[in-house]
Amino acid sequence: MNPRLASLRPYPFERLRSLLDGATPPAGLKHIPLSIGEPRHTPPPFIAEALTAALSSLGSYPLTIGLPELRTVTAAWLERRFGLTAGSVRPDDMVLPVNGTREGLFAFVQAAVDTTRARAAVLMPNPFYQIYEGAALLAGAEPVYLDCDPLAGYLPDLDAVDAATWNRCQLLFLCSPGNPTGAVMPEAYLRRALELASRHDFVVASDECYSEIYRDETAPPPGLLQVAGAAGHGTFERCVVFHSLSKRSSVPGLRSGFVAGDPSLLAAFRLYRTYHGCAVPVHTQMASIPAWQDEVHVRENRRLYREKFAAVVPMLREVLEVDLPSGAFYLWLEVGDDEAFARGLFVEQHVTVVPGTYLARETARGNPGRGRVRISLVASVEDCVEAARRIVAFVKASR
Ligand SMILES: Cc1ncc(COP(=O)(O)O)c(C=O)c1O
């Protein structure tokens, strides 16, 4: 088998399972899992209705390029959402449906990395979504981790990377709002990434799957295509963005997203996908069309997350320092020994959270996840409040 498979690291949830192995939480306390970033709000009913109405399509193979209606709707959504000039996102060659961003992110790296060039590198934030690393390793590139420093707003310092590393860089991953930090990359930051990409000739892959989950209704997070468009990059040279319905519409099981950007990159990616056989099923595409056309359910989704942050953050602040993140649905808390905290909280209070060290890698400055845990506010308001109450009790008891 492919020897590169041996370089893959255990997934954070596998490590969490080992950490909690043999632990026996109090039998009378209901389990509250706040570890996985799996949205649990009720999705709008019209998505399931459109899905079932499209089941007659099961008799046809889907095309890799996707349905023209879906491509038109997603291109129009990008233009509306990011204030792009009408017609600047061409549905025919600038968007492609994917089976969720996880699949798209992974597959894109396989198509993008050129191992005939020496010491291919894929740069990524640290902590990060583990698919970036696995995709880089399997493609034969070296993952290079850029620490997200809390003092720099949890944004990797692009200017701290030396020119030799940029010259080896074939792809830079950005994630905004970030998982697990919730940090939003401002326009100036994205512009800087694009300048570096032009100077050193690499691709910027912007994971924007949390772009619709933000706190301030008047300040949606900017996107890479928006900045590229404003900078005069008419065909979004070297840029690809990844969007998903999983978080926006709370349908992680639908497996629906899209990739958009530079048509020359998408043409190669489309060719790759044809052979990989990862065309999005027609019924999934049909269910996705109304989801990208409606913003009412997305605003309601944000309201529910806002309600949870408003309830939970003041409670936790009684015992811990808590930053309110600009986007996504995580708290990235400083707790001391993160593994001991996660295990203790499970054993004593039956609440599951992820140790930060599992979500990041050791660099010269240590592991930027050490001493933190990630808490996903995906459960109901009542469960999140109950979990916060138990976390407070746990912290007080362990002092
Ligand atoms: C940063 C990030 N990117 C991508 C994904 C994948 O989402 P999906 O494949 O459901 O679109 C996740 C899921 O948790 C994530 O946290």
Side-chain angles (χ1 to χ4, degrees):
M1 297 299 281
N2 183 346
R4 286 178 190 156
L5 285 165
S7 60
L8 294 178
R9 314 281 184 91
Y11 215 62
F13 300 110
E14 239 176 277
R15 296 175 70 185
L16 182 60
R17 253 192 309 280
S18 307
L19 179 74
L20 304 184
D21 201 24
T24 44
L29 274 187
K30 174 182 122 169
H31 181 218
I32 307 183
L34 301 180
S35 42
I36 301 190
E38 179 183 78
R40 299 212 208 103
H41 298 162
T42 309
F46 61 77
I47 297 184
E49 283 158 22
L51 183 70
T52 46
L55 287 180
S56 58
S57 67
L58 289 177
S60 321
Y61 279 117
L63 298 179
T64 300
I65 190 169
L67 297 172
E69 300 89 314
L70 178 62
R71 283 185 276 118
T72 302
V73 161
T74 47
W77 178 82
L78 280 172
E79 290 175 0
R80 262 196 323 279
R81 166 64 175 83
F82 295 107
L84 292 157
T85 313
S88 62
V89 183
R90 302 192 304 248
D92 288 350
D93 62 351
M94 291 186 178
V95 286
L96 266 185
V98 294
N99 292 288
T101 44
R102 179 181 185 141
E103 179 270 307
L105 290 159
F106 179 84
F108 184 78
V109 180
Q110 310 315 306
V113 168
D114 175 1
T115 47
T116 66
R117 284 166 53 199
R119 301 188 63 214
V122 171
L123 276 56
M124 61 195 70
N126 189 32
F128 56 94
Y129 180 53
Q130 193 152 327
I131 297 301
Y132 309 155
E133 179 192 59
L137 289 168
L138 277 185
E142 179 198 344
V144 175
Y145 309 104
L146 309 179
D147 290 344
C148 298
D149 185 343
L151 299 176
Y154 298 103
L155 300 181
D157 182 358
L158 299 179
D159 291 309
V161 178
D162 59 48
T165 305
W166 283 130
N167 287 337
R168 293 198 293 125
C169 174
Q170 295 194 14
L171 188 142
L172 166 68
F173 271 118
L174 301 178
C175 183
S176 175
N179 171 4
T181 64
V184 166
M185 295 176 171
E187 286 179 45
Y189 187 91
L190 297 171
R191 244 192 325 273
R192 180 71 185 133
L194 283 184
E195 281 163 17
L196 288 160
S198 303
R199 184 174 325 149
H200 299 279
D201 193 20
F202 59 82
V203 173
V204 184
S206 182
D207 179 353
E208 300 180 2
C209 77
Y210 292 100
S211 71
E212 305 316 287
I213 310 297
Y214 50 89
R215 305 287 91 75
D216 180 354
E217 280 301 313
T218 66
L224 185 68
L225 297 191
Q226 171 185 349
V227 169
H233 300 266
T235 52
F236 310 115
E237 291 83 353
R238 300 188 184 82
C239 297
V240 281
V241 296
F242 295 81
H243 283 275
S244 174
L245 290 177
S246 299
K247 325 286 179 187
R248 163 185 161 87
S249 303
S250 303
V251 285
L254 184 65
R255 311 310 304 128
S256 179
F258 68 86
V259 51
D262 186 330
S264 65
L265 301 176
L266 289 201
F269 188 38
R270 185 175 148 196
L271 174 66
Y272 171 87
R273 296 181 71 72
T274 308
Y275 279 84
H276 193 104
C278 44
V280 178
V282 172
H283 52 280
T284 307
Q285 296 189 59
M286 293 298 285
S288 307
I289 291 171
W292 289 110
Q293 286 173 312
D294 180 72
E295 295 301 325
V296 175
H297 76 283
V298 191
R299 272 195 295 276
E300 172 60 13
N301 203 14
R302 279 195 291 275
R303 190 191 64 72
L304 283 173
Y305 286 119
R306 213 174 288 124
E307 195 182 324
K308 287 189 262 188
F309 277 103
V312 163
V313 168
M315 291 175 73
L316 294 177
R317 278 189 177 148
E318 194 194 329
V319 290
L320 295 166
E321 266 187 37
V322 186
D323 290 333
L324 182 66
S326 309
F329 44 58
Y330 302 109
L331 286 170
W332 183 232
L333 294 184
E334 264 192 286
V335 294
D337 182 335
D338 52 309
E339 280 189 315
F341 185 95
R343 192 175 156 91
L345 184 65
F346 182 75
V347 170
E348 288 175 32
Q349 299 288 350
H350 215 181
V351 173
T352 321
V353 298
V354 188
T357 43
Y358 298 179
L359 301 171
R361 294 288 176 254
E362 203 77 27
T363 64
R365 297 164 58 198
N367 181 322
R370 181 157 296 126
R372 290 179 181 265
V373 292
R374 189 189 76 175
I375 298 181
S376 292
L377 294 187
V378 287
S380 64
V381 179
E382 297 71 40
D383 278 3
C384 286
V385 167
E386 170 60 15
R389 194 192 60 70
R390 294 191 208 167
I391 293 170
V392 170
F394 171 71
V395 173
K396 281 185 175 167
S398 36
R399 275 182 181 156

PDB file of all heavy atoms in Angstrom, residues 155-185:
ATOM      1  N   LEU A 155      -4.099  35.032  14.322  1.00  0.00           N
ATOM      2  CA  LEU A 155      -3.845  34.937  12.878  1.00  0.00           C
ATOM      3  C   LEU A 155      -2.374  34.612  12.680  1.00  0.00           C
ATOM      4  O   LEU A 155      -1.505  35.230  13.317  1.00  0.00           O
ATOM      5  CB  LEU A 155      -4.180  36.262  12.180  1.00  0.00           C
ATOM      6  CG  LEU A 155      -5.626  36.742  12.316  1.00  0.00           C
ATOM      7  CD1 LEU A 155      -5.831  38.044  11.551  1.00  0.00           C
ATOM      8  CD2 LEU A 155      -6.602  35.685  11.806  1.00  0.00           C
ATOM      9  N   PRO A 156      -2.052  33.648  11.809  1.00  0.00           N
ATOM     10  CA  PRO A 156      -0.637  33.343  11.570  1.00  0.00           C
ATOM     11  C   PRO A 156       0.087  34.581  11.035  1.00  0.00           C
ATOM     12  O   PRO A 156      -0.489  35.345  10.264  1.00  0.00           O
ATOM     13  CB  PRO A 156      -0.691  32.263  10.485  1.00  0.00           C
ATOM     14  CG  PRO A 156      -2.073  31.741  10.476  1.00  0.00           C
ATOM     15  CD  PRO A 156      -2.961  32.824  11.004  1.00  0.00           C
ATOM     16  N   ASP A 157       1.338  34.753  11.461  1.00  0.00           N
ATOM     17  CA  ASP A 157       2.119  35.908  11.008  1.00  0.00           C
ATOM     18  C   ASP A 157       2.761  35.571   9.661  1.00  0.00           C
ATOM     19  O   ASP A 157       3.810  34.932   9.604  1.00  0.00           O
ATOM     20  CB  ASP A 157       3.189  36.230  12.068  1.00  0.00           C
ATOM     21  CG  ASP A 157       3.991  37.459  11.672  1.00  0.00           C
ATOM     22  OD1 ASP A 157       3.736  38.025  10.574  1.00  0.00           O
ATOM     23  OD2 ASP A 157       4.881  37.844  12.458  1.00  0.00           O
ATOM     24  N   LEU A 158       2.125  36.011   8.583  1.00  0.00           N
ATOM     25  CA  LEU A 158       2.620  35.667   7.238  1.00  0.00           C
ATOM     26  C   LEU A 158       3.989  36.286   6.997  1.00  0.00           C
ATOM     27  O   LEU A 158       4.811  35.742   6.264  1.00  0.00           O
ATOM     28  CB  LEU A 158       1.623  36.150   6.177  1.00  0.00           C
ATOM     29  CG  LEU A 158       0.215  35.544   6.266  1.00  0.00           C
ATOM     30  CD1 LEU A 158      -0.686  36.112   5.179  1.00  0.00           C
ATOM     31  CD2 LEU A 158       0.261  34.014   6.170  1.00  0.00           C
ATOM     32  N   ASP A 159       4.252  37.433   7.636  1.00  0.00           N
ATOM     33  CA  ASP A 159       5.531  38.092   7.392  1.00  0.00           C
ATOM     34  C   ASP A 159       6.683  37.458   8.165  1.00  0.00           C
ATOM     35  O   ASP A 159       7.836  37.828   7.954  1.00  0.00           O
ATOM     36  CB  ASP A 159       5.399  39.593   7.695  1.00  0.00           C
ATOM     37  CG  ASP A 159       4.490  40.235   6.645  1.00  0.00           C
ATOM     38  OD1 ASP A 159       4.746  40.016   5.445  1.00  0.00           O
ATOM     39  OD2 ASP A 159       3.506  40.893   7.023  1.00  0.00           O
ATOM     40  N   ALA A 160       6.346  36.491   9.031  1.00  0.00           N
ATOM     41  CA  ALA A 160       7.416  35.796   9.751  1.00  0.00           C
ATOM     42  C   ALA A 160       7.948  34.610   8.945  1.00  0.00           C
ATOM     43  O   ALA A 160       8.934  33.988   9.313  1.00  0.00           O
ATOM     44  CB  ALA A 160       6.904  35.316  11.102  1.00  0.00           C
ATOM     45  N   VAL A 161       7.275  34.291   7.829  1.00  0.00           N
ATOM     46  CA  VAL A 161       7.714  33.146   7.009  1.00  0.00           C
ATOM     47  C   VAL A 161       8.844  33.613   6.093  1.00  0.00           C
ATOM     48  O   VAL A 161       8.734  34.666   5.456  1.00  0.00           O
ATOM     49  CB  VAL A 161       6.528  32.616   6.167  1.00  0.00           C
ATOM     50  CG1 VAL A 161       6.943  31.469   5.257  1.00  0.00           C
ATOM     51  CG2 VAL A 161       5.375  32.194   7.079  1.00  0.00           C
ATOM     52  N   ASP A 162       9.934  32.832   6.014  1.00  0.00           N
ATOM     53  CA  ASP A 162      11.064  33.304   5.207  1.00  0.00           C
ATOM     54  C   ASP A 162      10.830  33.043   3.708  1.00  0.00           C
ATOM     55  O   ASP A 162       9.985  32.226   3.327  1.00  0.00           O
ATOM     56  CB  ASP A 162      12.396  32.693   5.688  1.00  0.00           C
ATOM     57  CG  ASP A 162      12.371  31.177   5.621  1.00  0.00           C
ATOM     58  OD1 ASP A 162      11.962  30.633   4.575  1.00  0.00           O
ATOM     59  OD2 ASP A 162      12.750  30.524   6.619  1.00  0.00           O
ATOM     60  N   ALA A 163      11.593  33.756   2.887  1.00  0.00           N
ATOM     61  CA  ALA A 163      11.385  33.689   1.432  1.00  0.00           C
ATOM     62  C   ALA A 163      11.623  32.276   0.900  1.00  0.00           C
ATOM     63  O   ALA A 163      10.925  31.826  -0.016  1.00  0.00           O
ATOM     64  CB  ALA A 163      12.313  34.683   0.731  1.00  0.00           C
ATOM     65  N   ALA A 164      12.589  31.553   1.499  1.00  0.00           N
ATOM     66  CA  ALA A 164      12.881  30.193   1.007  1.00  0.00           C
ATOM     67  C   ALA A 164      11.655  29.306   1.204  1.00  0.00           C
ATOM     68  O   ALA A 164      11.324  28.485   0.329  1.00  0.00           O
ATOM     69  CB  ALA A 164      14.083  29.618   1.768  1.00  0.00           C
ATOM     70  N   THR A 165      10.953  29.468   2.324  1.00  0.00           N
ATOM     71  CA  THR A 165       9.746  28.663   2.576  1.00  0.00           C
ATOM     72  C   THR A 165       8.641  29.080   1.614  1.00  0.00           C
ATOM     73  O   THR A 165       7.951  28.228   1.039  1.00  0.00           O
ATOM     74  CB  THR A 165       9.296  28.816   4.050  1.00  0.00           C
ATOM     75  OG1 THR A 165      10.400  28.471   4.883  1.00  0.00           O
ATOM     76  CG2 THR A 165       8.103  27.928   4.370  1.00  0.00           C
ATOM     77  N   TRP A 166       8.474  30.395   1.424  1.00  0.00           N
ATOM     78  CA  TRP A 166       7.455  30.830   0.449  1.00  0.00           C
ATOM     79  C   TRP A 166       7.771  30.276  -0.945  1.00  0.00           C
ATOM     80  O   TRP A 166       6.870  29.909  -1.689  1.00  0.00           O
ATOM     81  CB  TRP A 166       7.347  32.349   0.375  1.00  0.00           C
ATOM     82  CG  TRP A 166       6.605  33.004   1.508  1.00  0.00           C
ATOM     83  CD1 TRP A 166       7.037  34.056   2.261  1.00  0.00           C
ATOM     84  CD2 TRP A 166       5.285  32.691   1.996  1.00  0.00           C
ATOM     85  NE1 TRP A 166       6.081  34.402   3.201  1.00  0.00           N
ATOM     86  CE2 TRP A 166       4.996  33.583   3.051  1.00  0.00           C
ATOM     87  CE3 TRP A 166       4.327  31.726   1.656  1.00  0.00           C
ATOM     88  CZ2 TRP A 166       3.784  33.551   3.753  1.00  0.00           C
ATOM     89  CZ3 TRP A 166       3.128  31.691   2.358  1.00  0.00           C
ATOM     90  CH2 TRP A 166       2.863  32.594   3.382  1.00  0.00           C
ATOM     91  N   ASN A 167       9.045  30.196  -1.282  1.00  0.00           N
ATOM     92  CA  ASN A 167       9.382  29.694  -2.621  1.00  0.00           C
ATOM     93  C   ASN A 167       9.063  28.208  -2.782  1.00  0.00           C
ATOM     94  O   ASN A 167       8.807  27.750  -3.889  1.00  0.00           O
ATOM     95  CB  ASN A 167      10.858  29.965  -2.940  1.00  0.00           C
ATOM     96  CG  ASN A 167      11.079  31.448  -3.208  1.00  0.00           C
ATOM     97  OD1 ASN A 167      10.130  32.159  -3.578  1.00  0.00           O
ATOM     98  ND2 ASN A 167      12.297  31.927  -3.002  1.00  0.00           N
ATOM     99  N   ARG A 168       9.062  27.468  -1.678  1.00  0.00           N
ATOM    100  CA  ARG A 168       8.691  26.044  -1.744  1.00  0.00           C
ATOM    101  C   ARG A 168       7.182  25.859  -1.611  1.00  0.00           C
ATOM    102  O   ARG A 168       6.654  24.791  -1.867  1.00  0.00           O
ATOM    103  CB  ARG A 168       9.305  25.280  -0.561  1.00  0.00           C
ATOM    104  CG  ARG A 168      10.758  25.171  -0.541  1.00  0.00           C
ATOM    105  CD  ARG A 168      11.198  24.066   0.389  1.00  0.00           C
ATOM    106  NE  ARG A 168      10.948  24.277   1.796  1.00  0.00           N
ATOM    107  CZ  ARG A 168      10.267  23.440   2.579  1.00  0.00           C
ATOM    108  NH1 ARG A 168       9.723  22.347   2.083  1.00  0.00           N
ATOM    109  NH2 ARG A 168      10.122  23.687   3.864  1.00  0.00           N
ATOM    110  N   CYS A 169       6.522  26.911  -1.141  1.00  0.00           N
ATOM    111  CA  CYS A 169       5.080  26.802  -0.873  1.00  0.00           C
ATOM    112  C   CYS A 169       4.321  26.646  -2.194  1.00  0.00           C
ATOM    113  O   CYS A 169       4.467  27.450  -3.107  1.00  0.00           O
ATOM    114  CB  CYS A 169       4.597  28.061  -0.142  1.00  0.00           C
ATOM    115  SG  CYS A 169       2.805  28.099   0.080  1.00  0.00           S
ATOM    116  N   GLN A 170       3.520  25.603  -2.264  1.00  0.00           N
ATOM    117  CA  GLN A 170       2.667  25.450  -3.455  1.00  0.00           C
ATOM    118  C   GLN A 170       1.236  25.825  -3.132  1.00  0.00           C
ATOM    119  O   GLN A 170       0.474  26.210  -4.018  1.00  0.00           O
ATOM    120  CB  GLN A 170       2.742  24.015  -3.962  1.00  0.00           C
ATOM    121  CG  GLN A 170       4.151  23.666  -4.451  1.00  0.00           C
ATOM    122  CD  GLN A 170       4.160  22.384  -5.268  1.00  0.00           C
ATOM    123  OE1 GLN A 170       3.148  21.866  -5.695  1.00  0.00           O
ATOM    124  NE2 GLN A 170       5.356  21.878  -5.509  1.00  0.00           N
ATOM    125  N   LEU A 171       0.895  25.736  -1.865  1.00  0.00           N
ATOM    126  CA  LEU A 171      -0.474  26.040  -1.478  1.00  0.00           C
ATOM    127  C   LEU A 171      -0.484  26.544  -0.033  1.00  0.00           C
ATOM    128  O   LEU A 171       0.183  25.966   0.835  1.00  0.00           O
ATOM    129  CB  LEU A 171      -1.313  24.759  -1.603  1.00  0.00           C
ATOM    130  CG  LEU A 171      -2.816  24.882  -1.432  1.00  0.00           C
ATOM    131  CD1 LEU A 171      -3.517  23.943  -2.408  1.00  0.00           C
ATOM    132  CD2 LEU A 171      -3.248  24.538  -0.033  1.00  0.00           C
ATOM    133  N   LEU A 172      -1.215  27.636   0.171  1.00  0.00           N
ATOM    134  CA  LEU A 172      -1.395  28.181   1.520  1.00  0.00           C
ATOM    135  C   LEU A 172      -2.854  28.005   1.914  1.00  0.00           C
ATOM    136  O   LEU A 172      -3.748  28.474   1.198  1.00  0.00           O
ATOM    137  CB  LEU A 172      -1.038  29.676   1.535  1.00  0.00           C
ATOM    138  CG  LEU A 172      -1.481  30.479   2.774  1.00  0.00           C
ATOM    139  CD1 LEU A 172      -0.700  30.056   4.028  1.00  0.00           C
ATOM    140  CD2 LEU A 172      -1.306  31.986   2.541  1.00  0.00           C
ATOM    141  N   PHE A 173      -3.110  27.320   3.029  1.00  0.00           N
ATOM    142  CA  PHE A 173      -4.467  27.219   3.549  1.00  0.00           C
ATOM    143  C   PHE A 173      -4.752  28.398   4.472  1.00  0.00           C
ATOM    144  O   PHE A 173      -3.937  28.719   5.350  1.00  0.00           O
ATOM    145  CB  PHE A 173      -4.633  25.940   4.387  1.00  0.00           C
ATOM    146  CG  PHE A 173      -5.049  24.747   3.585  1.00  0.00           C
ATOM    147  CD1 PHE A 173      -4.234  23.627   3.504  1.00  0.00           C
ATOM    148  CD2 PHE A 173      -6.271  24.736   2.919  1.00  0.00           C
ATOM    149  CE1 PHE A 173      -4.619  22.520   2.774  1.00  0.00           C
ATOM    150  CE2 PHE A 173      -6.667  23.623   2.180  1.00  0.00           C
ATOM    151  CZ  PHE A 173      -5.840  22.523   2.106  1.00  0.00           C
ATOM    152  N   LEU A 174      -5.903  29.009   4.259  1.00  0.00           N
ATOM    153  CA  LEU A 174      -6.419  29.985   5.215  1.00  0.00           C
ATOM    154  C   LEU A 174      -7.747  29.429   5.706  1.00  0.00           C
ATOM    155  O   LEU A 174      -8.405  28.661   4.989  1.00  0.00           O
ATOM    156  CB  LEU A 174      -6.634  31.339   4.547  1.00  0.00           C
ATOM    157  CG  LEU A 174      -5.415  32.002   3.914  1.00  0.00           C
ATOM    158  CD1 LEU A 174      -5.826  33.313   3.252  1.00  0.00           C
ATOM    159  CD2 LEU A 174      -4.325  32.258   4.964  1.00  0.00           C
ATOM    160  N   CYS A 175      -8.158  29.833   6.895  1.00  0.00           N
ATOM    161  CA  CYS A 175      -9.450  29.374   7.418  1.00  0.00           C
ATOM    162  C   CYS A 175     -10.053  30.544   8.188  1.00  0.00           C
ATOM    163  O   CYS A 175      -9.506  30.970   9.204  1.00  0.00           O
ATOM    164  CB  CYS A 175      -9.232  28.168   8.324  1.00  0.00           C
ATOM    165  SG  CYS A 175     -10.777  27.471   8.964  1.00  0.00           S
ATOM    166  N   SER A 176     -11.149  31.087   7.647  1.00  0.00           N
ATOM    167  CA  SER A 176     -11.743  32.265   8.281  1.00  0.00           C
ATOM    168  C   SER A 176     -13.260  32.214   8.126  1.00  0.00           C
ATOM    169  O   SER A 176     -13.753  32.083   7.007  1.00  0.00           O
ATOM    170  CB  SER A 176     -11.182  33.534   7.632  1.00  0.00           C
ATOM    171  OG  SER A 176     -11.809  34.684   8.146  1.00  0.00           O
ATOM    172  N   PRO A 177     -13.997  32.320   9.243  1.00  0.00           N
ATOM    173  CA  PRO A 177     -13.565  32.247  10.635  1.00  0.00           C
ATOM    174  C   PRO A 177     -12.861  30.921  10.899  1.00  0.00           C
ATOM    175  O   PRO A 177     -13.180  29.912  10.285  1.00  0.00           O
ATOM    176  CB  PRO A 177     -14.883  32.327  11.421  1.00  0.00           C
ATOM    177  CG  PRO A 177     -15.850  33.008  10.511  1.00  0.00           C
ATOM    178  CD  PRO A 177     -15.463  32.578   9.145  1.00  0.00           C
ATOM    179  N   GLY A 178     -11.913  30.981  11.823  1.00  0.00           N
ATOM    180  CA  GLY A 178     -11.034  29.829  12.031  1.00  0.00           C
ATOM    181  C   GLY A 178     -11.628  28.782  12.952  1.00  0.00           C
ATOM    182  O   GLY A 178     -12.399  29.091  13.854  1.00  0.00           O
ATOM    183  N   ASN A 179     -11.263  27.549  12.702  1.00  0.00           N
ATOM    184  CA  ASN A 179     -11.524  26.460  13.625  1.00  0.00           C
ATOM    185  C   ASN A 179     -10.181  26.086  14.221  1.00  0.00           C
ATOM    186  O   ASN A 179      -9.275  25.758  13.451  1.00  0.00           O
ATOM    187  CB  ASN A 179     -12.111  25.264  12.861  1.00  0.00           C
ATOM    188  CG  ASN A 179     -12.208  24.000  13.699  1.00  0.00           C
ATOM    189  OD1 ASN A 179     -11.904  24.014  14.872  1.00  0.00           O
ATOM    190  ND2 ASN A 179     -12.612  22.902  13.073  1.00  0.00           N
ATOM    191  N   PRO A 180      -9.965  26.163  15.508  1.00  0.00           N
ATOM    192  CA  PRO A 180     -10.938  26.331  16.599  1.00  0.00           C
ATOM    193  C   PRO A 180     -11.041  27.746  17.163  1.00  0.00           C
ATOM    194  O   PRO A 180     -11.819  27.949  18.093  1.00  0.00           O
ATOM    195  CB  PRO A 180     -10.336  25.416  17.674  1.00  0.00           C
ATOM    196  CG  PRO A 180      -8.854  25.565  17.489  1.00  0.00           C
ATOM    197  CD  PRO A 180      -8.635  25.759  16.019  1.00  0.00           C
ATOM    198  N   THR A 181     -10.295  28.711  16.624  1.00  0.00           N
ATOM    199  CA  THR A 181     -10.178  29.996  17.340  1.00  0.00           C
ATOM    200  C   THR A 181     -11.357  30.937  17.090  1.00  0.00           C
ATOM    201  O   THR A 181     -11.596  31.848  17.866  1.00  0.00           O
ATOM    202  CB  THR A 181      -8.897  30.735  16.912  1.00  0.00           C
ATOM    203  OG1 THR A 181      -9.021  31.069  15.511  1.00  0.00           O
ATOM    204  CG2 THR A 181      -7.656  29.885  17.116  1.00  0.00           C
ATOM    205  N   GLY A 182     -12.068  30.763  15.973  1.00  0.00           N
ATOM    206  CA  GLY A 182     -13.157  31.686  15.623  1.00  0.00           C
ATOM    207  C   GLY A 182     -12.646  33.003  15.065  1.00  0.00           C
ATOM    208  O   GLY A 182     -13.446  33.912  14.785  1.00  0.00           O
ATOM    209  N   ALA A 183     -11.317  33.136  14.885  1.00  0.00           N
ATOM    210  CA  ALA A 183     -10.753  34.410  14.401  1.00  0.00           C
ATOM    211  C   ALA A 183     -11.135  34.662  12.942  1.00  0.00           C
ATOM    212  O   ALA A 183     -11.133  33.738  12.127  1.00  0.00           O
ATOM    213  CB  ALA A 183      -9.233  34.384  14.539  1.00  0.00           C
ATOM    214  N   VAL A 184     -11.443  35.917  12.655  1.00  0.00           N
ATOM    215  CA  VAL A 184     -11.799  36.310  11.291  1.00  0.00           C
ATOM    216  C   VAL A 184     -10.605  37.047  10.673  1.00  0.00           C
ATOM    217  O   VAL A 184     -10.020  37.926  11.310  1.00  0.00           O
ATOM    218  CB  VAL A 184     -13.051  37.222  11.310  1.00  0.00           C
ATOM    219  CG1 VAL A 184     -13.250  37.915   9.976  1.00  0.00           C
ATOM    220  CG2 VAL A 184     -14.287  36.398  11.672  1.00  0.00           C
ATOM    221  N   MET A 185     -10.244  36.658   9.460  1.00  0.00           N
ATOM    222  CA  MET A 185      -9.136  37.335   8.778  1.00  0.00           C
ATOM    223  C   MET A 185      -9.661  38.601   8.116  1.00  0.00           C
ATOM    224  O   MET A 185     -10.540  38.527   7.249  1.00  0.00           O
ATOM    225  CB  MET A 185      -8.517  36.419   7.732  1.00  0.00           C
ATOM    226  CG  MET A 185      -7.875  35.222   8.385  1.00  0.00           C
ATOM    227  SD  MET A 185      -7.223  34.014   7.214  1.00  0.00           S
ATOM    228  CE  MET A 185      -6.327  32.959   8.366  1.00  0.00           C
TER     229      MET A 185
END
